[in-house]
Amino acid sequence: MSADVFRWAVIGAGAVSAKFVHGLAATGGQARPDLVIARHEDSARRFAASFGIPRHAAGLTPGILADVDAVYVASPVSEHATHALAAIAAGKPVLVEKPFAMNAAEAARVADAARAAGVFCMEALWTRFQPLTARIRKLIAAGELGEVTGFDGGFQIATRRDPAASLFDPARGGGALMQRGIYPLSLACHLLGPVTDITARGRIGPTGVDEDCALVLRHGSGALSTIRASLGSDGPNAATITGTKASLHLVAPIWRPASARLLPARPSSTGGFGGKGGRLASLRETGLAQRLTQDLAPLKARLTGRAGRRISAPFAGNGYVHEALELMRAVAAGEDESTVMPLAESVAIMGLLDAARAQIHGGHG
């Protein structure tokens, strides 16, 4: 590794690679992109010129990775395993964009190769590395939510259908589940633990990918998670973690959250009406009572503490820097895997994606 700056090779010249390169600026000079590799010479040259990257190349050639300190893979998902294995064979630490591979079998091959070679390898699921995610883990570990009972999250953005785009191409790992659902799915696994059962349903679009999907997960702890993802409709793109003592509401966007609100649980009496019925219960059902309740809700929240506690943990730069810093920290410490995103979890999550896709596509011809 260079003594003064950590040099990255970037495989892929698309929008995600551009965001990663922008993110490296937040390292304060600790890291820089040194090489970009794309399928086509023109794409590589334009990308390099746009970001002042000194070297570019069309395709992986022998020895091309010799002078870099790590490799970031942001090629199409169908190429992730091939490019990750090439980096591992060159002895270079590798950060592989989500989804880690096309399926669990590919993911396992990459993980096995990294372990056998003693080379650091990690999935770049950037949500896991945000400062807020670390804060949430500490809150859960400290018991502030009590027993965690559930997670509800989604990633839904209406997107114009384009058969030429990888997002809508099954051969390149497209679909709502693979490209968007993986964010709340991975976060649920990170916070609630391993999944023992999964049920999935979806709507298949004309290009053959799932354009909408919904998942229900049962975790080993007994907690339940619900996941929504969509290419065809907009959603709140937030998440809620529920517990017996409190609930935690992540402010959108779920893929890069910077704040949340912790709300204490206020168990109500059986029935939930706060009285024995009769005239009081009838009054509660009137439009006037509903309007008064809405108008007074902010005051009531402040007086009762239901406004909750704001948890804030801003990300640096555009948020991509945190995954890069985790790789750099781990490599400097001589670690082969990340404790935040271990290889076993990447393989297990790919297995969940495989199972969900089988149910979604099996239920639709």
Side-chain angles (χ1 to χ4, degrees):
M1 182 168 58
S2 171
D4 55 347
V5 65
F6 196 98
R7 298 163 302 172
W8 285 85
V10 176
I11 301 180
V16 176
S17 292
K19 292 175 182 178
F20 180 79
V21 170
H22 276 300
L24 290 181
T27 65
Q30 294 180 59
R32 71 162 189 254
D34 189 69
L35 166 68
V36 60
I37 299 171
R39 284 177 294 175
H40 305 293
E41 170 71 20
D42 287 348
S43 298
R45 184 177 63 253
R46 285 196 300 269
F47 192 94
S50 295
F51 294 101
I53 299 173
R55 297 189 295 148
H56 67 273
L60 282 166
T61 55
I64 195 168
L65 299 176
D67 294 328
V68 299
D69 300 312
V71 178
Y72 172 68
V73 174
S75 50
V77 183
S78 54
E79 302 299 317
H80 281 188
T82 298
H83 291 151
L85 289 169
I88 292 166
K92 300 299 178 179
V94 58
L95 182 62
V96 186
E97 254 306 326
K98 61 80 203 161
F100 193 60
M102 283 289 284
N103 51 55
E106 280 190 1
R109 283 201 295 274
V110 173
D112 289 345
R115 291 173 182 138
V119 172
F120 184 92
C121 180
M122 184 179 78
E123 184 178 8
L125 202 294
W126 67 328
T127 309
R128 287 209 178 197
F129 305 97
Q130 300 304 309
L132 182 68
T133 306
R135 288 282 302 277
I136 292 170
R137 289 274 303 195
K138 291 178 180 178
L139 288 172
I140 292 174
E144 292 208 36
L145 272 65
E147 178 187 356
V148 177
T149 59
F151 174 99
D152 177 66
F155 188 159
Q156 299 168 266
I157 296 178
T159 307
R160 184 176 293 105
R161 187 183 293 124
D162 178 4
S166 59
L167 196 62
F168 291 92
D169 185 357
R172 289 184 284 170
L177 177 62
M178 286 279 279
Q179 294 295 328
R180 292 179 176 169
I182 189 171
Y183 288 94
L185 174 61
S186 184
L187 188 58
C189 293
H190 186 51
L191 299 175
L192 276 64
V195 172
T196 58
D197 184 65
I198 182 169
T199 300
R201 295 293 181 268
R203 180 180 65 84
I204 308 302
T207 67
V209 302
D210 60 293
E211 295 190 357
D212 292 278
C213 66
L215 281 63
V216 178
L217 316 174
R218 182 181 295 278
H219 298 263
S221 64
L224 298 174
S225 291
T226 58
I227 307 294
R228 287 295 307 272
S230 179
L231 304 180
S233 60
D234 291 325
N237 297 325
T240 297
I241 307 152
T242 55
T244 54
K245 290 184 179 179
S247 59
L248 189 66
H249 302 266
L250 275 67
V251 178
I254 189 173
W255 53 89
R256 188 180 54 181
S259 66
R261 192 162 293 279
L262 185 69
L263 297 177
R266 303 289 189 190
S268 63
S269 60
T270 303
F273 291 102
K276 294 183 178 181
R279 295 177 63 185
L280 179 58
S282 298
L283 179 61
R284 289 175 183 272
E285 299 303 314
T286 67
L288 174 60
Q290 290 175 14
R291 287 195 296 274
L292 286 172
T293 299
Q294 292 170 359
D295 291 342
L296 294 174
L299 175 61
K300 180 182 178 182
R302 288 195 297 271
L303 292 175
T304 62
R306 285 294 291 165
R309 184 169 99 240
R310 185 170 183 266
I311 309 296
S312 179
F315 48 81
N318 64 1
Y320 273 80
V321 67
H322 300 292
E323 61 191 28
L325 289 173
E326 169 64 7
L327 180 144
M328 293 161 61
R329 180 207 62 77
V331 169
E335 300 172 9
D336 293 336
E337 291 192 34
S338 167
T339 57
V340 179
M341 188 80 245
L343 289 170
E345 280 198 47
S346 292
V347 175
I349 289 169
M350 285 308 311
L352 293 174
L353 292 172
D354 288 351
R357 284 184 292 174
Q359 293 183 37
I360 290 169
H361 289 269
H364 293 80

